[in-house]
């Protein structure tokens, strides 16, 4: 599904909903239309927007194939809670969780936890530490840590559950996680390119003015070790030739990135036009990846392998 | 104002007003029956239940309210063996069974440390409860969340969202955590006094945040579009010992205004917090005597703080051994006691007594010497539990008896047929020391039958548990609670 020689796009959609009913309708429309991933934007001070992780959990059982990636802000959330919440989302959704790394760092945003903004250097360290600690916690239970020994009533092999003993610049975490390893092994981490987390991310989200600049940044992300690069595309259909322009843009992006995250200006009117008028044209040209099938994990949909567990012994058989 | 301002606009408006408490005496006609005596319970616990009728029954909720756990252990591990299934599957199945059986609420625990003695949390409670909210319609959703490792602004957003997406079914079981500090910093666990002081300040902040949108802040114009009056959304400007939070909250008023507040923890500091803020307190009250003392203490303190009579409601977990016959129940208890690993049991009792003592060489069939018992004030975690077990030890229970007791970790345990168990529940309910009960095990078909068709049926026949109709609209209304100012 992720044959790099195929210039076809994974599709992500930033999903909105004016209330719980329209959120249900929006996620359902996105899944029906074959999107690989729904993203849930958020910020500690986002006006009138409910918390993104809770929204993603809310739709986890209304859906069976679309990925669910909330923005959780590493700068205002305890790393252990963040890792645990994402693991719970992955369990709840049968392996469809993603995480958009949020880095809210404004004066008012940081003030919600009684803190001052981080310096650029502190911010980079904090984001790298939180991402690293989440990844370590997701590995803290080996895949075969869970056993069933009815005779002794044991359900766990204690040798396969590990402390992570993480010591970062501003926090420490001993671990292990309280939940078994996420079904995907590692949740799919999507990092906005400005955060410079390319080597820790599964997907780098690239925001640039045109396809050429996006392509250049995508190459840099791949060189740094990111498996996938997606372009951030904001769209709307207010102008008369907007449909054709968006089709052209996505055609050119298909040659330089692995996927796009589409962000509608007016979700209620723009998403139906996208689904009815834009996507069919691209699909007919073979520029879209196949829609996920029921039961697919997000990693499977994106062609990402299930990562080996860092704690598994040398030579252990990986699933 | 972005269009998302209307995300929640339809929540609060659709809610019926909360119903009030019923006056006492509605259900006073039946005389309390004595509990069946149980040879497997230590003698010192029997007969300790002859204190006068509690004076706390002046104002009672109409009926006993029922809760069941949707945490799913140890089944969680069996599920984890099958990568095609999710631990949420069990919770969803329990939720459906509980809603069918007319339970008032689902309970999801939290544990912040993986580890010893089977105390293993299943999943992160807030997201699991959010997932459960869409596969249930009426049942209340209780998430256990610690104030020791969360920031109040984040808590206000998470619980606020939960209350909105569940249409007013959210409850917060507030704990201060006795474990897990190693996952948040290199600092030791703060003392109980510090943890409860932080909890109190957390509550002051989240309450202010939930109230930061005044009535009328959000209205609908004639076209049905939401209109925000920014002058009615005001900062809270909190500056306290632990937090400084500007506010306001970025989420409109909650359907319940505040989630139902449950508090767990019955050390002196825990009782003070519960008396001051909680609508329901989750308790470990192994005997009627202890239940009476605790209920009197916390409700009297609440009354002294100016709160209405009868609050906080008393919530107990019921650790029952169910049998279709008395013989079956006794046989099951006998088998369980036979299977106890007394060497592991020594560590469990030491843990119940605060964890600082070593019982590995203490004789099993003698009482513990006074010198072995901990000084309560020196214990940093689960003091209330240590008080209960110190008291047992002073009553002369042998170490073996303490190990048997510790299997229920200080919770109320009973053995018998559904009718006998109903007697025990009725005794506490009539004594005014039980308002909400947790009945667990719906995912086990045998227990499901004994609980739903046996015990619940019996309690409904006696008028103690009402058929759940969810007429109140919100969880608070269904529980017969009124939000205090």
């Amino acid at each position: 599904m992720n044959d790099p020689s195929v210039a076809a796009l994974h599709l992500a959609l930033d999903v909105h909903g004016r209330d719980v009913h329209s959120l249900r309708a929006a996620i359902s429309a996105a899944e029906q239309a074959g999107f690989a991933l729904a993203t849930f934007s958020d910020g500690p001070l986002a006006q009138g927007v409910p918390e993104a992780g809770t929204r993603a959990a809310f739709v986890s059982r209304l859906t069976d194939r679309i990925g669910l990636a909330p923005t959780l802000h590493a700068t205002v959330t305890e790393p252990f809670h963040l890792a645990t919440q994402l693991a719970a989302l992955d369990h709840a959704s049968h392996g469809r969780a993603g995480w958009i790394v949020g880095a809210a760092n404004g004066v008012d945003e940081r003030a919600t936890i009684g803190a001052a903004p981080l310096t650029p250097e502190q911010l980079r360290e904090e984001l790298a530490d939180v991402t690293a600690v989440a990844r370590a916690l997701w590995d803290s239970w080996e895949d075969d840590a869970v056993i069933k020994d009815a005779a002794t009533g044991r359900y766990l092999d204690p040798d396969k559950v590990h402390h992570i003993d993480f010591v970062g610049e501003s926090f420490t975490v001993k671990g292990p996680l309280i939940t078994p390893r996420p079904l995907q092994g590692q949740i799919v981490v999507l990092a906005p390119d400005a955060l410079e987390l390319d080597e820790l991310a599964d997907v780098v989200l690239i925001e640039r003015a045109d396809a050429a600049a996006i392509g250049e940044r995508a190459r840099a992300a791949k060189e740094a070790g990111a498996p996938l690069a997606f372009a951030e595309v904001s769209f709307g259909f207010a102008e008369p030739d907007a449909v054709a322009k968006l089709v052209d843009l996505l055609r050119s992006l298909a040659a330089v990135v692995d996927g796009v995250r589409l962000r509608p200006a007016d979700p209620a009117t723009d998403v139906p036009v996208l689904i009815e008028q834009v996507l069919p044209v691209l699909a007919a040209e073979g520029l879209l990846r196949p829609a996920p099938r029921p039961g697919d994990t997000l990693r499977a949909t994106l062609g990402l392998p299930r990562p080996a567990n860092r704690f598994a012994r040398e030579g252990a058989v990986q699933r | 104002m972005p269009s998302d301002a209307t995300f929640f606009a339809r929540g609060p408006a659709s809610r019926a007003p909360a119903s009030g408490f019923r006056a006492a005496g509605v259900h006073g006609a039946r005389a309390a029956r004595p509990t069946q005596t149980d040879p497997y319970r230590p003698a010192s616990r029997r007969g300790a239940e002859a204190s006068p009728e509690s004076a706390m029954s002046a104002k009672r909720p109409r009926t006993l309210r029922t809760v069941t756990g949707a945490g799913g252990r140890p089944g969680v591990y069996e599920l984890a063996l099958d990568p095609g299934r999710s631990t949420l599957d069990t919770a969803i199945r329990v939720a459906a069974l509980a809603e069918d059986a007319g339970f008032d609420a689902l309970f999801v625990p939290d544990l912040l440390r993986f580890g010893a003695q089977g105390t293993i949390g299943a999943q992160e409670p807030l997201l699991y409860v959010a997932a459960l909210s869409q596969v249930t319609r009426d049942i209340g959703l209780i998430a256990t969340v610690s104030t020791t490792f969360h920031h109040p602004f984040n808590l206000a957003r998470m619980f606020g969202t939960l209350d909105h997406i569940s249409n007013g079914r959210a409850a917060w079981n507030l704990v201060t955590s006795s474990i897990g500090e190693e996952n948040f910093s290199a600092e030791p666990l703060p003392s109980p006094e510090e943890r409860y002081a932080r909890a109190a300040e957390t509550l002051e902040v989240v309450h202010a945040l939930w109230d930061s949108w005044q009535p009328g802040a959000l209205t609908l114009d004639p076209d049905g579009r939401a209109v925000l009056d920014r002058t009615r959304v005001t900062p809270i400007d909190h500056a306290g010992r632990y937090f400084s939070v500007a506010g306001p909250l970025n989420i409109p008023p909650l359907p319940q205004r505040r989630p139902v507040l449950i508090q767990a923890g019955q050390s002196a500091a825990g009782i003070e917090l519960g008396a001051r803020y909680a609508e329901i307190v989750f308790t470990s009250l192994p005997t009627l005597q202890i239940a009476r003392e605790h209920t009197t203490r916390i409700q009297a303190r609440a009354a002294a703080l100016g709160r209405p009579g009868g609050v906080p409601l008393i919530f107990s977990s019921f650790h029952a051994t169910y049998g279709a016959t008395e013989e079956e129940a006794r046989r099951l208890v006998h088998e369980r006691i036979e299977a106890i690993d007394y060497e592991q049991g020594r560590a469990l009792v030491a843990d119940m007594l605060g964890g600082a003592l070593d019982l590995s060489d203490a004789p099993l069939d003698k009482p513990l010497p006074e010198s072995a018992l901990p000084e309560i004030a020196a214990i940093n975690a689960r003091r209330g539990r240590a008080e209960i077990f110190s008291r047992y030890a002073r009553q002369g229970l042998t170490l073996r008896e303490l190990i048997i007791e510790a299997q229920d970790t200080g919770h109320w345990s009973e053995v018998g047929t559904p009718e006998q168990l109903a007697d025990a529940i009725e005794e506490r309910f009539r004594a005014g020391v039980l308002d909400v009960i947790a009945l667990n095990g719906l995912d086990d078909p045998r227990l499901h039958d004994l609980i739903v068709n046996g015990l619940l049926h019996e309690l409904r026949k006696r008028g103690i548990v009402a058929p759940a109709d969810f007429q109140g609209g919100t969880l608070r209304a269904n529980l017969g609670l009124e939000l205090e100012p």
Side-chain angles (χ1 to χ4, degrees):
Chain A
M1 244 195 230
N2 195 35
D3 181 351
S5 66
V6 179
L9 293 168
H10 294 293
L11 294 177
L13 180 67
D14 199 41
V15 169
H16 295 252
R18 290 163 64 89
D19 52 48
V20 292
H21 307 285
S22 60
L23 177 59
R24 279 199 190 100
I27 191 74
S28 171
E31 187 166 71
Q32 291 292 324
F35 282 88
L37 178 65
T39 64
F40 302 85
S41 297
D42 198 11
L45 294 173
Q47 281 300 315
V49 178
E51 197 279 326
T54 316
R55 269 184 289 156
F58 174 75
V59 300
S60 64
R61 287 301 172 99
L62 298 170
T63 52
D64 64 6
R65 53 198 187 274
I66 193 168
L68 305 170
T71 298
L72 300 186
H73 288 272
T75 43
V76 298
T77 314
E78 280 288 345
F80 190 80
H81 289 315
L82 185 147
T84 311
Q85 286 170 358
L86 290 165
L89 180 62
D90 201 53
H91 282 280
S93 64
H94 289 284
R96 291 181 286 124
W99 169 35
I100 297 187
V101 181
N105 194 37
V107 173
D108 292 346
E109 290 171 322
R110 286 278 290 174
T112 65
I113 61 161
L118 300 166
T119 65
E121 188 181 330
Q122 287 170 331
L123 180 63
R124 264 196 304 278
E125 272 169 359
E126 182 76 2
L127 295 172
D129 280 356
V130 173
T131 309
V133 91
R135 288 219 182 267
L137 284 167
W138 295 331
D139 276 352
S140 62
W141 294 50
E142 292 185 39
D143 289 320
D144 52 356
V146 182
I147 56 177
K148 188 177 181 183
D149 187 343
T152 63
R154 288 173 69 228
Y155 286 93
L156 283 171
D157 181 344
D159 294 336
K160 295 190 174 177
V161 182
H162 304 274
H163 293 303
I164 64 164
D165 290 321
F166 184 90
V167 180
E169 286 297 320
S170 69
F171 62 90
T172 67
V173 177
K174 189 171 182 65
L177 205 61
I178 57 167
T179 77
R181 196 174 189 221
L183 301 184
Q184 298 185 93
Q186 291 277 320
I187 276 94
V188 176
V189 176
L190 302 99
D193 73 274
L195 305 184
E196 296 175 10
L197 290 170
D198 298 15
E199 73 284 1
L200 289 168
D202 295 294
V203 181
V204 175
L205 297 171
I206 298 170
E207 192 147 19
R208 289 288 186 280
D210 56 50
I214 288 170
E216 193 176 322
R217 181 67 183 83
R219 275 191 300 280
K222 296 290 182 69
E223 277 165 23
L228 297 173
F230 281 19
E232 296 272 28
V233 177
S234 297
F235 70 97
F237 299 107
E239 295 168 35
D241 56 349
V243 167
K245 275 188 169 166
L246 182 58
V247 169
D248 282 346
L249 174 63
L250 294 174
R251 267 191 200 118
S252 55
L253 287 174
V256 296
V257 291
D258 306 288
V260 289
R261 175 161 78 139
L262 294 153
R263 299 194 293 191
D266 180 350
T269 57
D270 292 340
V271 173
V273 175
L274 174 75
I275 290 172
E276 288 157 26
Q277 299 182 34
V278 177
L279 299 186
V281 178
L282 297 165
E285 295 173 17
L287 294 179
L288 299 184
R289 301 267 170 185
R293 296 156 306 180
D296 282 350
T297 66
L298 177 56
R299 282 190 171 274
T301 299
L302 298 179
L304 294 167
R306 189 176 191 277
N309 189 313
R310 73 190 65 190
F311 292 106
R313 279 164 305 169
E314 196 76 29
V317 178
Q318 294 300 322
R319 283 182 199 166
Chain B
M1 190 66 201
S3 59
D4 274 342
T6 60
F7 194 97
F8 301 116
R10 67 177 72 190
S14 65
R15 289 291 160 212
S19 63
F21 286 106
R22 291 288 178 86
V26 174
H27 44 244
R30 286 181 67 92
R33 303 185 208 174
T35 312
Q36 298 288 316
T37 50
D38 175 358
Y40 292 100
R41 295 171 71 196
S44 52
R45 283 179 56 184
R46 296 198 305 269
E49 308 179 345
S51 70
E53 193 69 11
S54 166
M56 285 302 125
S57 53
K59 233 180 175 190
R60 301 276 304 138
R62 188 162 43 92
T63 50
L64 179 64
R65 300 303 177 172
T66 51
V67 168
T68 195
R73 78 181 169 94
V76 58
Y77 297 113
E78 294 182 50
L79 284 162
L81 284 170
D82 179 353
R85 297 175 69 193
S86 151
T87 53
L88 186 63
D89 296 338
T90 311
I92 288 175
R93 199 154 49 84
V94 169
L97 292 169
E99 209 159 43
D100 280 353
F103 277 80
D104 292 286
L106 295 166
F107 182 89
V108 178
D110 189 23
L111 286 159
L112 297 171
R113 173 189 297 165
F114 155 80
Q117 291 142 9
T119 52
I120 299 164
Q123 291 293 349
E124 199 284 321
L126 281 162
L127 265 72
Y128 252 42
V129 163
L132 288 173
S133 72
Q134 41 145 346
V135 292
T136 52
R137 207 184 66 186
D138 297 314
I139 199 163
L141 302 163
I142 306 170
T144 304
V145 178
S146 173
T147 50
T148 301
F149 307 113
H150 271 287
H151 194 279
F153 191 85
N154 291 340
L155 283 175
R157 286 197 80 214
M158 299 283 286
F159 271 108
T161 303
L162 183 62
D163 203 45
H164 278 290
I165 64 172
S166 66
N167 277 328
R169 292 186 284 142
W172 174 13
N173 180 36
L174 183 156
V175 296
T176 64
S177 296
S178 54
I179 55 170
E181 67 279 6
E182 73 278 11
N183 291 323
F184 299 94
S185 78
E187 301 296 313
L189 185 70
S191 70
E193 290 73 20
E194 285 282 332
R195 299 203 306 274
Y196 281 105
R198 182 183 161 111
E201 192 179 327
T202 299
L203 282 175
E204 295 293 342
V205 174
V206 297
H207 286 169
L209 286 168
W210 287 327
D211 289 346
S212 61
W213 293 49
Q214 292 151 32
L218 205 56
T219 50
L220 292 178
D221 69 12
D223 298 328
R225 294 188 66 91
V227 179
L228 178 69
D229 179 354
R230 282 182 178 275
T231 65
R232 291 174 193 256
V233 181
T234 46
I236 66 165
D237 292 325
H238 173 89
R241 182 169 157 202
Y242 298 96
F243 310 111
S244 60
V245 180
L249 193 62
N250 51 348
I251 291 181
L254 280 51
Q256 299 187 95
R257 200 175 123 218
R258 297 172 186 170
V260 173
L261 184 67
I262 303 171
Q263 179 266 340
Q266 57 196 63
S267 64
I271 289 172
E272 180 64 22
L273 185 79
R276 192 173 287 274
Y277 298 101
E279 299 178 271
I280 299 172
V281 285
F282 183 72
T283 59
S284 301
L285 303 173
T287 69
L288 182 60
Q289 172 78 19
I290 290 173
R292 282 192 159 117
E293 290 170 10
H294 184 73
T295 304
T296 303
R297 185 174 170 195
I298 196 164
Q299 291 184 342
R301 178 65 186 140
L305 290 164
R307 300 189 61 200
V311 295
L313 303 185
I314 306 296
F315 176 15
S316 286
S317 183
F318 190 55
H319 285 214
T321 303
Y322 295 84
T325 63
E326 203 171 323
E327 290 66 35
E328 185 190 31
R330 293 194 185 290
R331 179 174 55 74
L332 290 168
V333 172
H334 186 72
E335 284 172 10
R336 211 177 58 216
I337 291 175
E338 289 289 296
I340 290 175
D341 179 335
Y342 284 91
E343 292 313 306
Q344 278 183 12
R346 290 169 188 273
L348 183 57
V349 170
D351 188 47
M352 291 292 125
L353 284 167
L357 63 171
D358 178 5
L359 298 175
S360 48
D361 295 323
L364 272 178
D365 292 306
K366 286 191 177 159
L368 297 178
E370 178 69 31
S371 60
L373 299 179
E375 192 188 332
I376 299 299
I379 296 173
N380 201 25
R382 299 168 87 190
R383 264 185 203 168
R385 202 62 54 88
E387 283 173 15
I388 289 171
F389 277 82
S390 295
R391 180 169 169 161
Y392 286 166
R394 292 205 172 89
Q395 286 171 352
L397 267 65
T398 64
L399 179 54
R400 186 184 302 278
E401 288 169 329
L402 288 174
I403 290 171
I404 293 170
E405 282 300 311
Q407 305 303 308
D408 288 305
T409 60
H411 282 287
W412 175 24
S413 68
E414 300 282 354
V415 178
T417 63
E419 291 73 20
Q420 290 170 327
L421 297 172
D423 290 344
I425 291 168
E426 181 167 6
E427 183 182 38
R428 285 203 180 193
F429 178 68
R430 304 279 183 226
V433 300
L434 179 67
D435 304 295
V436 184
I437 191 168
L439 305 171
N440 294 318
L442 294 185
D443 51 334
D444 176 322
R446 186 188 82 92
L447 288 179
H448 178 269
D449 181 48
L450 288 166
I451 292 170
V452 175
N453 304 320
L455 180 58
L456 268 183
H457 177 74
E458 182 66 26
L459 291 170
R460 288 191 172 127
K461 213 165 67 182
R462 298 184 191 185
I464 294 169
V465 171
D469 54 15
F470 303 113
Q471 287 296 304
T474 65
L475 175 61
R476 178 174 285 105
N478 288 333
L479 293 174
L481 283 164
E482 276 181 49
L483 189 61
E484 295 161 49

